Amino acid sequence: MSYHEEGNPMGVQFFSPQGMTQPVPYHHVAVGSGSRHVHVAGQISRDEAGRPVAGADLRGQVAQALRNTGHGLGGAGASFADVVRLTFYVTNWSPERIGDFMAGVEDVAGELGLPQPLPPSSLIGVDYLFEPDVLVEVEATAILD
């Protein structure tokens, strides 16, 4: 068998084919079989009034940005179980920051029902985001039946 597949009742299958880097904290491939696409715009660490939530802490900002992403998904009738793609943009990225980044993910994984490993994900280092206090932005794509 060329891949390990995990079924999902929501119409998303995740796998990481042989020959791709193993292990990683996310699946390399997601296949969605639904007909409704949900795209959640970049979410940051702000509350509904636009006030910063986690200060200058990468770990806290990752956690809050994922919570906000979960609110967006929920508003469309989706959850992280339906997500086929996550994209993280992180300012001033360096490999030494991966521990704080992953701690933020782990802090909310159970609360939000984040699958482990994560859906296919990209972490993109950027110089800055739209305001100087924003350290991370998260985008999500989900497929629903």
Side-chain angles (χ1 to χ4, degrees), residues 92-115:
N92 301 312
W93 179 254
S94 67
E96 296 79 30
R97 299 181 80 194
I98 193 68
D100 288 338
F101 176 86
M102 290 306 298
V105 172
E106 292 164 8
D107 286 349
V108 295
E111 170 189 335
L112 300 175
L114 283 169

Short mmCIF file of all heavy atoms in Angstrom, two decimals, residues 92-115:
data_model
loop_
_atom_site.label_atom_id
_atom_site.label_comp_id
_atom_site.label_asym_id
_atom_site.label_seq_id
_atom_site.Cartn_x
_atom_site.Cartn_y
_atom_site.Cartn_z
N ASN A 92 8.97 37.32 11.42
CA ASN A 92 10.34 37.12 11.92
C ASN A 92 10.63 35.67 12.25
O ASN A 92 11.20 35.35 13.29
CB ASN A 92 10.60 38.01 13.14
CG ASN A 92 10.42 39.47 12.82
OD1 ASN A 92 10.95 39.95 11.81
ND2 ASN A 92 9.67 40.17 13.64
N TRP A 93 10.23 34.78 11.35
CA TRP A 93 10.38 33.35 11.62
C TRP A 93 11.84 32.94 11.68
O TRP A 93 12.68 33.40 10.91
CB TRP A 93 9.66 32.53 10.55
CG TRP A 93 9.83 31.07 10.83
CD1 TRP A 93 10.62 30.17 10.17
CD2 TRP A 93 9.23 30.35 11.90
NE1 TRP A 93 10.55 28.94 10.76
CE2 TRP A 93 9.69 29.03 11.83
CE3 TRP A 93 8.33 30.69 12.91
CZ2 TRP A 93 9.30 28.05 12.73
CZ3 TRP A 93 7.94 29.73 13.80
CH2 TRP A 93 8.42 28.41 13.70
N SER A 94 12.13 32.02 12.59
CA SER A 94 13.40 31.31 12.62
C SER A 94 13.11 29.94 13.20
O SER A 94 12.15 29.77 13.98
CB SER A 94 14.43 32.06 13.47
OG SER A 94 14.05 32.05 14.83
N PRO A 95 13.88 28.93 12.83
CA PRO A 95 13.62 27.57 13.32
C PRO A 95 13.59 27.45 14.84
O PRO A 95 12.90 26.58 15.37
CB PRO A 95 14.78 26.75 12.72
CG PRO A 95 15.18 27.51 11.50
CD PRO A 95 14.98 28.97 11.86
N GLU A 96 14.27 28.34 15.55
CA GLU A 96 14.28 28.28 17.01
C GLU A 96 12.89 28.57 17.60
O GLU A 96 12.64 28.28 18.77
CB GLU A 96 15.28 29.29 17.59
CG GLU A 96 16.72 29.01 17.23
CD GLU A 96 17.08 29.47 15.80
OE1 GLU A 96 16.49 30.44 15.30
OE2 GLU A 96 17.95 28.82 15.19
N ARG A 97 11.99 29.13 16.81
CA ARG A 97 10.66 29.48 17.31
C ARG A 97 9.65 28.34 17.21
O ARG A 97 8.51 28.47 17.64
CB ARG A 97 10.14 30.72 16.56
CG ARG A 97 11.06 31.92 16.77
CD ARG A 97 10.56 33.14 16.06
NE ARG A 97 9.50 33.74 16.86
CZ ARG A 97 8.66 34.67 16.42
NH1 ARG A 97 8.77 35.12 15.20
NH2 ARG A 97 7.73 35.15 17.21
N ILE A 98 10.06 27.21 16.63
CA ILE A 98 9.10 26.11 16.42
C ILE A 98 8.52 25.60 17.73
O ILE A 98 7.36 25.21 17.80
CB ILE A 98 9.71 24.96 15.59
CG1 ILE A 98 8.62 23.99 15.11
CG2 ILE A 98 10.79 24.22 16.36
CD1 ILE A 98 7.68 24.55 14.10
N GLY A 99 9.29 25.58 18.81
CA GLY A 99 8.78 25.11 20.10
C GLY A 99 7.61 25.95 20.59
O GLY A 99 6.58 25.40 21.00
N ASP A 100 7.75 27.27 20.54
CA ASP A 100 6.65 28.16 20.95
C ASP A 100 5.46 28.02 20.02
O ASP A 100 4.30 28.02 20.46
CB ASP A 100 7.11 29.62 20.98
CG ASP A 100 8.04 29.92 22.14
OD1 ASP A 100 8.03 29.18 23.14
OD2 ASP A 100 8.80 30.91 22.04
N PHE A 101 5.73 27.90 18.72
CA PHE A 101 4.65 27.75 17.75
C PHE A 101 3.86 26.47 18.03
O PHE A 101 2.63 26.50 18.16
CB PHE A 101 5.23 27.72 16.32
CG PHE A 101 4.19 27.48 15.28
CD1 PHE A 101 3.48 28.54 14.75
CD2 PHE A 101 3.93 26.20 14.82
CE1 PHE A 101 2.50 28.31 13.79
CE2 PHE A 101 2.95 25.96 13.88
CZ PHE A 101 2.24 27.02 13.36
N MET A 102 4.55 25.34 18.15
CA MET A 102 3.86 24.07 18.38
C MET A 102 3.19 24.03 19.74
O MET A 102 2.13 23.42 19.88
CB MET A 102 4.84 22.90 18.22
CG MET A 102 5.30 22.67 16.79
SD MET A 102 3.94 22.47 15.59
CE MET A 102 3.13 21.00 16.21
N ALA A 103 3.75 24.71 20.74
CA ALA A 103 3.10 24.78 22.06
C ALA A 103 1.75 25.48 21.94
O ALA A 103 0.77 25.07 22.58
CB ALA A 103 4.00 25.49 23.06
N GLY A 104 1.68 26.53 21.12
CA GLY A 104 0.41 27.22 20.91
C GLY A 104 -0.62 26.31 20.26
O GLY A 104 -1.80 26.31 20.62
N VAL A 105 -0.19 25.49 19.31
CA VAL A 105 -1.09 24.52 18.66
C VAL A 105 -1.56 23.51 19.70
O VAL A 105 -2.76 23.23 19.82
CB VAL A 105 -0.39 23.82 17.48
CG1 VAL A 105 -1.24 22.68 16.94
CG2 VAL A 105 -0.06 24.82 16.37
N GLU A 106 -0.62 22.96 20.45
CA GLU A 106 -0.96 21.93 21.44
C GLU A 106 -1.86 22.47 22.55
O GLU A 106 -2.71 21.74 23.07
CB GLU A 106 0.32 21.34 22.02
CG GLU A 106 1.09 20.53 20.99
CD GLU A 106 2.53 20.24 21.39
OE1 GLU A 106 2.93 20.54 22.55
OE2 GLU A 106 3.27 19.73 20.53
N ASP A 107 -1.71 23.75 22.91
CA ASP A 107 -2.53 24.34 23.96
C ASP A 107 -4.02 24.29 23.65
O ASP A 107 -4.84 24.23 24.56
CB ASP A 107 -2.13 25.80 24.21
CG ASP A 107 -0.82 25.95 24.95
OD1 ASP A 107 -0.29 24.94 25.48
OD2 ASP A 107 -0.30 27.09 24.99
N VAL A 108 -4.37 24.34 22.37
CA VAL A 108 -5.80 24.38 22.00
C VAL A 108 -6.25 23.16 21.21
O VAL A 108 -7.41 23.09 20.81
CB VAL A 108 -6.13 25.67 21.21
CG1 VAL A 108 -5.95 26.90 22.09
CG2 VAL A 108 -5.32 25.77 19.93
N ALA A 109 -5.37 22.20 20.97
CA ALA A 109 -5.73 21.04 20.15
C ALA A 109 -6.97 20.32 20.69
O ALA A 109 -7.91 20.05 19.95
CB ALA A 109 -4.55 20.07 20.04
N GLY A 110 -6.98 20.00 21.96
CA GLY A 110 -8.12 19.30 22.55
C GLY A 110 -9.37 20.16 22.57
O GLY A 110 -10.47 19.72 22.23
N GLU A 111 -9.20 21.41 22.96
CA GLU A 111 -10.32 22.36 23.04
C GLU A 111 -11.02 22.52 21.69
O GLU A 111 -12.25 22.61 21.62
CB GLU A 111 -9.75 23.71 23.50
CG GLU A 111 -10.68 24.89 23.42
CD GLU A 111 -9.93 26.20 23.69
OE1 GLU A 111 -8.89 26.20 24.37
OE2 GLU A 111 -10.42 27.23 23.19
N LEU A 112 -10.25 22.58 20.61
CA LEU A 112 -10.80 22.86 19.28
C LEU A 112 -11.04 21.61 18.44
O LEU A 112 -11.58 21.71 17.35
CB LEU A 112 -9.87 23.80 18.52
CG LEU A 112 -9.63 25.16 19.16
CD1 LEU A 112 -8.60 25.94 18.36
CD2 LEU A 112 -10.93 25.94 19.28
N GLY A 113 -10.62 20.46 18.92
CA GLY A 113 -10.75 19.25 18.13
C GLY A 113 -9.80 19.22 16.94
O GLY A 113 -10.14 18.67 15.89
N LEU A 114 -8.62 19.81 17.12
CA LEU A 114 -7.62 19.77 16.05
C LEU A 114 -7.15 18.34 15.88
O LEU A 114 -6.70 17.72 16.83
CB LEU A 114 -6.42 20.64 16.39
CG LEU A 114 -6.56 22.13 16.24
CD1 LEU A 114 -5.37 22.85 16.87
CD2 LEU A 114 -6.67 22.51 14.78
N PRO A 115 -7.24 17.82 14.67
CA PRO A 115 -6.74 16.45 14.48
C PRO A 115 -5.22 16.42 14.64
O PRO A 115 -4.54 17.38 14.33
CB PRO A 115 -7.15 16.12 13.04
CG PRO A 115 -7.52 17.40 12.40
CD PRO A 115 -7.79 18.40 13.47
#
